Amino acid sequence: MSQERAVPVSAVPLEEISSWPKELCRRELPSVLPRLLSMYQNSDGWIEHIQILKIIVEMFLPHMNHLTLEQTFFSQVLPKTVKLFDDMMYELTSQARGLSSQNLEIQTTLRNILQTMVQLLGALTGCVQHVCATQESVILENIHSLPSSVLRVIKSTFVHCKNSESVYSGHLHLVSDLLQALFKEAYSLQKQLMELLDMVCMDPLVDENDDILNMVVVIHSLLDICSIISSMDHAFHANTWKFIIKQSLKHQSVIKSQLKHKDIITSLCEDTLFSFHSCLQLAEQLVQPHAQDNADYRLFQKTLKLCRFFANSLLHYTKEFLPFLSDSCCTLHQLYLQIHSKFPPSLYAARISKAQQEEIAGAFLVTLDPLISQLLTFQPFVQVVLDSRLELPCELQFPHCLLLVVIMDKLPSQPEAVQALWCADSQVSGATTRVSLLKGIFSSFEQCSGELSLPVCLQGVRSKGQAEAAVTLYQHVCVHLCAFITSFHPSLFPELDTALLDAVLSANMITSLLAMDAWCFLARYGTAELCAHHVTIVAHLIKSCPGECYQLTNLAILLKRLFFFMAPPHQVEFIQKFSPKEPGNLLLWQYISFQALPADLRRQTAREVSRVCTAQCREWLGSSRTVGELESLNTVLSALLTVCSSAGEALDSGQQTAVMEVGSQLWALLNIKLVTGQPYVQQTLSLLLPLLGFFIQTLDLQLISQVVTLQTSLLKLEPPDHVRLAVLDFVSSVGKLFIPQAMQDKILPSLSSIFASLLSDRNWLLEQHTLEAFTQFAEGTNQEEIVPLCLSSEETKNKVVSFLEKTGFVDETADARVERIKQEKGIFWEPFAKVTVEEAKWSSLQPYAKRARHELPVEEKYRAAVQAAAGALGAIESLLQQSVPPDWLLTEMEALHERIDELKRRVV
């Protein structure tokens, strides 16, 4: 040994140092290490670098003080090591473009670089193993250069391996063995590093220090690696995630404020969704007949297990860090919607078997339910889900509706404060930023037009002693909504009333009907006094409506339905409060079914309404009979029609005669010019026809002849749809009538002409009603010879035959029907379309030109006034052509001109 020491340490060759025994290395460490570090920093060759690094790691690292490793070794060596690895990676990537089986020089160069990189990773593994072997617990500050350097090298390696197909341009096989070795070495290095990091201890009482920042950097570096290896090795990917979650929770108390929670949640959601889509793709393959059951099914189960792992990880992380996830709520919301949009019964779901649906639901989807439960009390999540500005693409609207129903089901078990959080609107500066849950459900339900029309079916509620049955979306939402109402906290009743009324007044029919169903349930579930109170409120709302509108129609339907649930004493009170004798109350009685009343009260009330109506009809007939008074007359006729249709048997013969008399007198006043020129007169006609049809057996045949003759002429002028439907109502009732031979020539030709005209109509709704009415007429008439006369063409005849035989339907497969409905839904509801939401609601798929709409009463008055003014001007023009105008005419016309200018300014 003394001879060995005769040679200065600085002159000892590396080859000789590499053969030193352990004791000599330990003794010479203070003198040799500075020289080796200097050589390492100043060396230019990669091979020499690796040689020096391996000597230090393998021979001298075991003898270093573990408390000073950072200062004496890691901080001096690892930066250079990382730079060396980056240089090799750059050279490798640059040279790889020229790789080919003919170019042996580049092939050799690349293989040498890869072998050197493998050795470098091995050296780093030795560093990590040494720390693990010599310390029971690790203080990150003492080794902080090591994790960051190792993670950077690992990340660079995995990126290169992931992109190897494109990097080596089809010649990957020439280096694949070394790339595989490189990947395995990086894999081993990361596994060893995670073992080391698991030994790290941090002081929970310290809020700010370098250890905290270093641990946060480590976790987010591993998060970056997760995104790289997700498609390379599923088990490795899952283990990396498991480690990230474990370390986040282990050091939660000190790093919770430093972690980038949004990045972690976003990555977890992306990986969850990716694995779910992979699972669905595999499930679709299992449906195919050529699928190899065993292998494919095992892969499906393995992927499903991965889905569950990610979902559970997300659930665990969310539970522990919920207060820090306010900016991740949108991501979590979207994850729920995206998953359910691809799973049955969504229109956009993958086609998978029932067995696989049940497996996925039982193993994966069940984990989403507790996730929603955790988020239920989190105000930012409430804001995202109920955002008044929320616009979703078509495929996410149905899942959003289901989510709201799930939330609604969970609220009854929550404290009042949580219920209030979800069930109350939120406003800032007068603008609603968050709608209530109930309003959100109605709004979301309205957007599910495709799912409602198909309809999609969902799992029903299991009843005692009955098998569970599938239910439509409408039934699903309605049942759960009614169940929620039963548990509604009393303090939130105003919110319930507001939401139900808003939905009843919706322009969307199906939404309005859902709200009515829920309201009727409330009327039955609540007290009789509550029902009576609601009926009174709806009655007052109807009376306050300014004129004909869809809101009035909806309220009228609701009133009619609620009236059936009123207790008889409350019905008596209603009749007294809204007596038909009082002006304005007949407006209500046209919407109330007398069948809702007990027999005696029905008879009494029906006769009272009939007396009042016939009296007012006579009063109108005896007055000046202006068009302006037709609105009140139409209300009277509508109430009279309601009496006849729902309590006709309650009227005595005298009252029936009185109704027929006023009906006949009113009919005598009608003519083609009046009907075609005045919307109010068209309404009168539409009410008179079914009213006369009710008494068809006792009507004078001459009057019937006049009615069908006018109808024939009227149809040639293409009246509005509601007029044609009234015509249809009347002629279908004529089938019950026996027509004497003497009157057949006057009535039958008109009847056949009417049916022929209506059967050839292209309006799909009118066509359906006409086919039904014609069938009823043909089955009931004694004049069978008229039936073939109504079938004026071969097309009409085929249409009727197809209707009777229930044939002629479009042969559409289930998949084709779903695709068609998806296209239709896209037309109606795509929020990025160049139409407003209101326009989209009422866009029609009807291929034929639409008729002019029936104007509202106020519009009718304006039009009548303008027409009258135009008529007056025409009269003046005619007079000017016939005689010399008086001197004052010019002054008066200038005054009129000024008034017109003033009116124009008010219009603008």
Side-chain angles (χ1 to χ4, degrees):
M1 185 62 66
S2 59
Q3 292 176 349
E4 293 176 0
R5 292 291 294 147
V7 180
V9 172
S10 58
V12 178
L14 288 176
E15 291 77 6
E16 184 178 334
I17 294 176
S18 64
S19 63
W20 281 5
K22 291 182 180 180
E23 181 59 29
L24 180 59
C25 291
R26 183 188 62 77
R27 190 170 63 247
E28 298 297 334
L29 175 66
S31 57
V32 174
L33 184 60
R35 176 200 168 197
L36 292 175
L37 292 176
S38 176
M39 291 175 66
Y40 187 76
Q41 295 293 339
N42 297 314
S43 176
D44 294 326
W46 294 342
I47 303 298
E48 186 179 9
H49 266 110
I50 296 302
Q51 184 182 6
I52 296 170
L53 180 61
K54 289 178 68 177
I55 290 173
I56 296 175
V57 171
E58 294 173 3
M59 304 190 66
F60 293 95
L61 181 60
H63 307 294
M64 296 182 194
N65 185 344
H66 69 271
L67 296 177
T68 60
L69 278 177
E70 178 64 29
Q71 293 80 12
T72 58
F73 179 51
F74 291 150
S75 63
Q76 298 188 53
V77 171
L78 293 180
K80 180 75 173 181
T81 304
V82 172
K83 183 180 184 303
L84 173 66
F85 191 85
D86 288 344
D87 291 344
M88 285 191 286
M89 187 64 73
Y90 177 79
E91 185 69 19
L92 187 67
T93 306
S94 301
Q95 293 281 351
R97 298 188 185 94
L99 178 64
S100 68
S101 55
Q102 290 78 29
N103 195 332
L104 296 179
E105 182 180 352
I106 290 182
Q107 185 176 336
T108 303
T109 300
L110 293 178
R111 292 184 67 84
N112 287 338
I113 294 174
L114 286 169
Q115 288 172 342
T116 305
M117 294 171 81
V118 170
Q119 293 177 28
L120 188 149
L121 291 177
L124 291 177
T125 302
C127 293
V128 177
Q129 286 175 336
H130 169 74
V131 175
C132 290
T134 57
Q135 302 181 41
E136 292 183 1
S137 64
V138 177
I139 297 175
L140 205 55
E141 186 179 1
N142 294 340
I143 58 162
H144 71 83
S145 296
L146 181 61
S148 58
S149 300
V150 169
L151 286 169
R152 179 169 172 178
V153 169
I154 290 173
K155 179 180 176 181
S156 180
T157 302
F158 288 151
V159 168
H160 183 77
C161 292
K162 184 176 183 178
N163 299 330
S164 56
E165 286 284 355
S166 58
V167 170
Y168 294 96
S169 305
H171 301 285
L172 179 62
H173 63 283
L174 298 175
V175 292
S176 59
D177 56 330
L178 289 174
L179 277 175
Q180 188 175 11
L182 185 68
F183 179 86
K184 286 182 177 179
E185 198 64 46
Y187 176 96
S188 177
L189 176 57
Q190 180 177 319
K191 188 176 179 181
Q192 194 70 53
L193 178 66
M194 291 192 297
E195 183 180 331
L196 182 152
L197 292 171
D198 205 24
M199 300 166 61
V200 170
C201 293
M202 304 179 71
D203 188 351
L205 300 178
V206 179
D207 291 335
E208 291 285 346
N209 63 29
D210 291 340
D211 270 9
I212 294 174
L213 298 177
N214 288 334
M215 180 55 73
V216 170
V217 169
V218 165
I219 288 174
H220 284 285
S221 296
L222 285 168
L223 188 65
D224 293 338
I225 290 174
C226 266
S227 65
I228 298 167
I229 63 174
S230 60
S231 59
M232 299 172 67
D233 188 315
H234 291 163
F236 186 35
H237 181 217
N239 286 332
T240 305
W241 261 119
K242 191 180 296 183
F243 181 80
I244 290 173
I245 302 297
K246 180 181 179 181
Q247 295 304 309
S248 299
L249 299 180
K250 178 181 176 181
H251 306 296
Q252 177 182 1
S253 60
V254 293
I255 66 174
K256 59 186 178 183
S257 300
Q258 306 295 331
L259 282 174
K260 297 177 182 177
H261 299 286
K262 184 177 181 180
D263 292 349
I264 295 174
I265 290 292
T266 300
S267 295
L268 257 181
C269 289
E270 288 175 352
D271 286 344
T272 303
L273 197 59
F274 179 81
S275 60
F276 176 65
H277 286 163
S278 300
C279 192
L280 291 179
Q281 290 173 359
L282 291 168
E284 284 183 294
Q285 293 174 16
L286 292 176
V287 177
Q288 304 301 322
H290 61 268
Q292 297 178 6
D293 295 339
N294 294 334
D296 286 345
Y297 184 64
R298 284 196 298 270
L299 184 57
F300 164 76
Q301 287 187 313
K302 184 178 179 181
T303 309
L304 181 57
K305 187 177 180 180
L306 191 63
C307 288
R308 185 178 177 86
F309 163 76
F310 283 125
N312 282 328
S313 300
L314 182 64
L315 182 65
H316 200 179
Y317 192 92
T318 303
K319 178 183 178 181
E320 298 298 331
F321 294 101
L322 184 60
F324 301 92
L325 303 185
S326 57
D327 57 352
S328 298
C329 289
C330 184
T331 304
L332 293 168
H333 179 221
Q334 286 292 315
L335 173 69
Y336 187 96
L337 302 188
Q338 290 285 352
I339 287 173
H340 282 278
S341 72
K342 299 301 181 184
F343 194 77
S346 169
L347 296 178
Y348 305 85
R351 300 289 188 269
I352 59 178
S353 70
K354 187 69 175 177
Q356 267 66 61
Q357 288 182 38
E358 292 176 354
E359 280 195 74
I360 294 173
F364 171 59
L365 295 186
V366 291
T367 60
L368 298 181
D369 188 69
L371 176 64
I372 299 302
S373 297
Q374 288 177 183
L375 295 167
L376 209 59
T377 61
F378 196 38
Q379 193 273 337
F381 182 70
V382 181
Q383 183 65 44
V384 166
V385 173
L386 298 179
D387 192 341
S388 60
R389 300 159 298 176
L390 183 65
E391 285 189 342
L392 295 170
C394 292
E395 64 270 18
L396 300 187
Q397 291 164 356
F398 172 62
H400 183 66
C401 183
L402 295 184
L403 171 62
L404 295 179
V405 173
V406 167
I407 291 169
M408 182 173 65
D409 289 345
K410 294 179 180 295
L411 285 183
S413 62
Q414 296 295 320
E416 180 187 351
V418 178
Q419 290 192 31
L421 180 66
W422 282 96
C423 294
D425 289 342
S426 176
Q427 294 188 342
V428 177
S429 303
T432 301
T433 59
R434 185 181 77 229
V435 299
S436 71
L437 175 64
L438 288 172
K439 289 182 180 178
I441 285 176
F442 284 119
S443 175
S444 179
F445 177 81
E446 183 176 318
Q447 295 174 13
C448 298
S449 56
E451 290 80 5
L452 287 163
S453 62
L454 187 62
V456 299
C457 290
L458 298 99
Q459 189 173 357
V461 178
R462 189 182 298 274
S463 302
K464 292 182 179 179
Q466 294 182 352
E468 189 175 279
V471 296
T472 65
L473 174 61
Y474 187 96
Q475 292 171 313
H476 177 76
V477 176
C478 188
V479 168
H480 287 261
L481 179 59
C482 292
F484 181 58
I485 288 174
T486 64
S487 63
F488 215 70
H489 198 279
S491 64
L492 298 172
F493 274 10
E495 302 292 343
L496 174 62
D497 292 343
T498 301
L500 287 178
L501 182 58
D502 284 349
V504 165
L505 298 177
S506 169
N508 185 277
M509 179 191 69
I510 198 72
T511 303
S512 182
L513 288 177
L514 176 65
M516 290 181 202
D517 282 345
W519 204 324
C520 288
F521 171 81
L522 178 60
R524 296 182 66 184
Y525 181 80
T527 63
E529 288 73 21
L530 178 64
C531 178
H533 176 63
H534 283 168
V535 169
T536 302
I537 289 175
V538 174
H540 283 297
L541 287 172
I542 289 175
K543 292 186 69 175
S544 67
C545 284
E548 290 292 332
C549 54
Y550 66 83
Q551 292 93 337
L552 175 59
T553 302
N554 296 351
L555 287 171
I557 296 171
L558 179 61
L559 176 66
K560 182 176 181 178
R561 294 182 63 182
L562 289 178
F563 202 76
F564 276 92
F565 302 125
M566 287 184 78
H570 292 145
Q571 291 178 333
V572 172
E573 292 177 10
F574 181 89
I575 293 168
Q576 293 170 350
K577 184 180 296 184
F578 298 101
S579 171
K581 298 177 183 179
E582 296 295 325
N585 285 343
L586 282 179
L587 176 69
L588 297 175
W589 289 101
Q590 64 181 318
Y591 304 128
I592 295 173
S593 173
F594 290 84
Q595 291 296 319
L597 299 170
D600 292 341
L601 188 59
R602 177 166 66 247
R603 188 183 310 107
Q604 175 188 340
T605 309
R607 290 178 178 180
E608 181 63 34
V609 173
S610 178
R611 277 194 295 269
V612 172
C613 289
T614 52
Q616 290 196 20
C617 285
R618 291 193 184 99
E619 183 180 341
W620 186 86
L621 286 166
S623 67
S624 57
R625 296 184 289 202
T626 61
V627 172
E629 295 173 342
L630 273 180
E631 183 177 6
S632 59
L633 175 65
N634 288 340
T635 300
V636 171
L637 290 175
S638 181
L640 202 53
L641 182 59
T642 300
V643 172
C644 293
S645 59
S646 64
E649 77 287 350
L651 303 182
D652 57 35
S653 58
Q655 287 181 313
Q656 292 185 15
T657 302
V659 173
M660 283 190 291
E661 286 178 355
V662 296
S664 301
Q665 292 173 32
L666 288 170
W667 183 266
L669 300 175
L670 298 179
N671 58 59
I672 290 294
K673 184 176 180 181
L674 270 177
V675 173
T676 55
Q678 298 289 344
Y680 273 136
V681 179
Q682 293 171 1
Q683 185 66 20
T684 304
L685 175 75
S686 299
L687 292 166
L688 273 177
L689 287 174
L691 188 62
L692 293 174
F694 185 78
F695 299 103
I696 194 69
Q697 295 294 344
T698 53
L699 276 185
D700 181 66
L701 289 173
Q702 195 63 42
L703 175 60
I704 294 175
S705 174
Q706 294 172 8
V707 172
V708 295
T709 300
L710 186 142
Q711 290 176 336
T712 304
S713 303
L714 185 61
L715 288 177
K716 295 176 182 178
L717 301 175
E718 296 191 352
D721 291 346
H722 69 95
V723 173
R724 292 189 289 172
L725 287 170
V727 169
L728 194 58
D729 186 273
F730 181 83
V731 295
S732 63
S733 67
V734 178
K736 308 170 188 175
L737 182 66
F738 174 76
I739 304 174
Q741 187 69 37
M743 293 298 296
Q744 288 184 8
D745 290 342
K746 293 183 179 180
I747 297 176
L748 296 187
S750 296
L751 276 178
S752 62
S753 175
I754 292 169
F755 273 118
S757 174
L758 293 174
L759 284 169
S760 62
D761 199 289
R762 295 292 184 180
N763 182 298
W764 65 270
L765 182 61
L766 188 66
E767 177 184 78
Q768 181 66 24
H769 279 282
T770 304
L771 288 168
E772 293 174 1
F774 179 72
T775 301
Q776 179 184 338
F777 172 85
E779 290 173 350
T781 185
N782 292 316
Q783 282 75 37
E784 297 179 358
E785 66 277 9
I786 192 179
V787 174
L789 298 177
C790 300
L791 308 177
S792 57
S793 67
E794 196 65 29
E795 180 186 357
T796 302
K797 187 184 299 182
N798 292 336
K799 187 189 300 183
V800 172
V801 171
S802 295
F803 175 78
L804 293 174
E805 295 179 351
K806 293 182 170 53
T807 59
F809 300 111
V810 176
D811 187 14
E812 188 177 40
T813 65
D815 288 347
R817 177 171 168 78
V818 169
E819 288 304 315
R820 175 176 59 79
I821 287 176
K822 283 161 62 175
Q823 292 176 11
E824 292 173 359
K825 184 173 180 178
I827 293 171
F828 281 117
W829 281 109
E830 182 58 56
F832 307 107
K834 295 181 180 180
V835 292
T836 66
V837 172
E838 192 64 27
E839 288 171 333
K841 288 180 189 174
W842 300 109
S843 297
S844 175
L845 296 180
Q846 172 70 31
Y848 311 109
K850 291 185 285 187
R851 298 180 182 276
R853 64 184 178 86
H854 176 58
E855 294 180 333
L856 300 178
V858 174
E859 294 181 56
E860 294 172 350
K861 292 177 181 178
Y862 273 110
R863 189 171 298 282
V866 170
Q867 289 175 350
L873 291 174
I876 293 174
E877 184 179 11
S878 178
L879 288 170
L880 286 172
Q881 294 173 353
Q882 299 173 17
S883 60
V884 178
D887 297 336
W888 51 263
L889 181 61
L890 183 59
T891 304
E892 292 294 327
M893 290 184 69
E894 288 175 348
L896 287 173
H897 191 272
E898 291 176 1
R899 289 186 66 184
I900 291 174
D901 286 342
E902 175 63 26
L903 290 173
K904 286 168 65 179
R905 284 191 290 272
R906 290 170 64 182
V907 170
V908 174

